[in-house]
Amino acid sequence: LEEEKCDYRSTELGKLITDFINNSLATFFMSENQLEVFKESLDIEPDRVHVLSSLFDEQFFSTIDSLRNEEVERNDKWLVLGSRSWVKGSQQTEEWCREQGLDYDVVSNLEYTDLLRKMHKSKGIVFHPAGYDTCPRFVIEAKLLGCELKLNENVQHSNEEWFNSAPEDIINYLHGRPTHFWQTV
């Protein structure tokens, strides 16, 4: 707000979060970039922090597998996530699409499987969150369904090795996250 870097580690909340993390057995973060923000801002014990990513249930993997095995003719539409949460950046994303001359649909209030089906038929997604979004499912789902992605720097997991792998490797990584959690705790 003051257009200068905050010394967060000296604030009351920064000290509280530092104490919480340093006194926990394990604290999990959604992305490497999210973890780096905390490491840079606070004096946290590195052996207590881990990256978990997003977690998905078996129904998700079954649905993704089923959709990936369907022959589909993609349309030329881009999808924008309609959300009232400021961090999702829906309005800014729509404005960017208009500036780029993209044909897009805003998706919201769809049943989950309907959203995945619509995503599977679309050209891709545009997702430009207004603030850090640690590991958005919307982006992971789109990637696994073969969509093109137009993301901004606030999608914190977008440069991680697992996310930039082949779809089968991404699925294997995600399948292993619950086991990683339980082995850690």
Side-chain angles (χ1 to χ4, degrees):
L1 293 173
E2 297 167 359
E3 297 186 15
E4 61 184 53
K5 195 164 184 142
C6 173
D7 181 17
Y8 196 61
R9 65 181 34 92
S10 68
T11 67
E12 187 175 325
L13 185 56
K15 291 175 184 177
L16 182 67
I17 293 171
T18 299
D19 286 344
F20 176 82
I21 292 171
N22 289 342
N23 288 298
S24 70
L25 294 176
T27 300
F28 292 90
F29 291 85
M30 298 292 292
S31 67
E32 294 288 344
N33 281 339
Q34 181 191 30
L35 175 56
E36 285 307 310
V37 168
F38 277 77
K39 283 181 173 179
E40 290 171 7
S41 302
L42 304 172
D43 298 316
I44 59 176
E45 297 290 331
D47 60 329
R48 298 187 191 270
V49 293
H50 310 273
V51 175
L52 189 59
S53 302
S54 289
L55 297 177
F56 298 88
D57 63 16
E58 287 306 316
Q59 181 62 44
F60 165 80
F61 292 110
S62 176
T63 302
I64 291 293
D65 188 50
S66 175
L67 288 171
R68 286 170 46 89
N69 287 321
E70 284 181 13
E71 289 283 329
V72 66
E73 186 172 325
R74 292 193 183 271
N75 58 43
D76 288 331
K77 291 272 190 182
W78 292 88
L79 300 183
V80 171
L81 181 64
S83 174
R84 288 184 270 199
S85 171
W86 73 270
V87 78
K88 299 299 183 186
S90 297
Q91 291 177 332
Q92 297 92 321
T93 304
E94 281 192 71
E95 179 63 30
W96 187 88
C97 288
R98 284 191 291 274
E99 289 171 0
Q100 303 303 310
L102 297 180
D103 188 9
Y104 70 94
D105 283 335
V106 176
V107 293
S108 63
N109 299 322
L110 290 174
E111 291 292 325
Y112 184 61
T113 304
D114 293 336
L115 171 65
L116 293 178
R117 286 187 186 288
K118 187 169 183 111
M119 196 180 282
H120 187 51
K121 293 177 183 176
S122 73
K123 180 177 184 73
I125 66 161
V126 182
F127 189 64
H128 291 184
Y132 289 149
D133 202 337
T134 56
C135 194
R137 294 176 62 103
F138 183 66
V139 174
I140 295 168
E141 294 157 349
K143 175 103 179 198
L144 291 176
L145 292 171
C147 295
E148 291 181 36
L149 307 176
K150 294 194 179 288
L151 311 173
N152 71 5
E153 67 282 350
N154 287 330
V155 178
Q156 287 193 297
H157 75 278
S158 64
N159 292 320
E160 293 185 17
E161 184 178 334
W162 69 267
F163 185 72
N164 291 297
S165 301
E168 294 76 22
D169 294 332
I170 295 171
I171 290 169
N172 288 337
Y173 174 82
L174 294 172
H175 251 264
R177 300 327 289 161
T179 301
H180 171 72
F181 173 80
W182 290 114
Q183 287 175 342
T184 302
V185 297

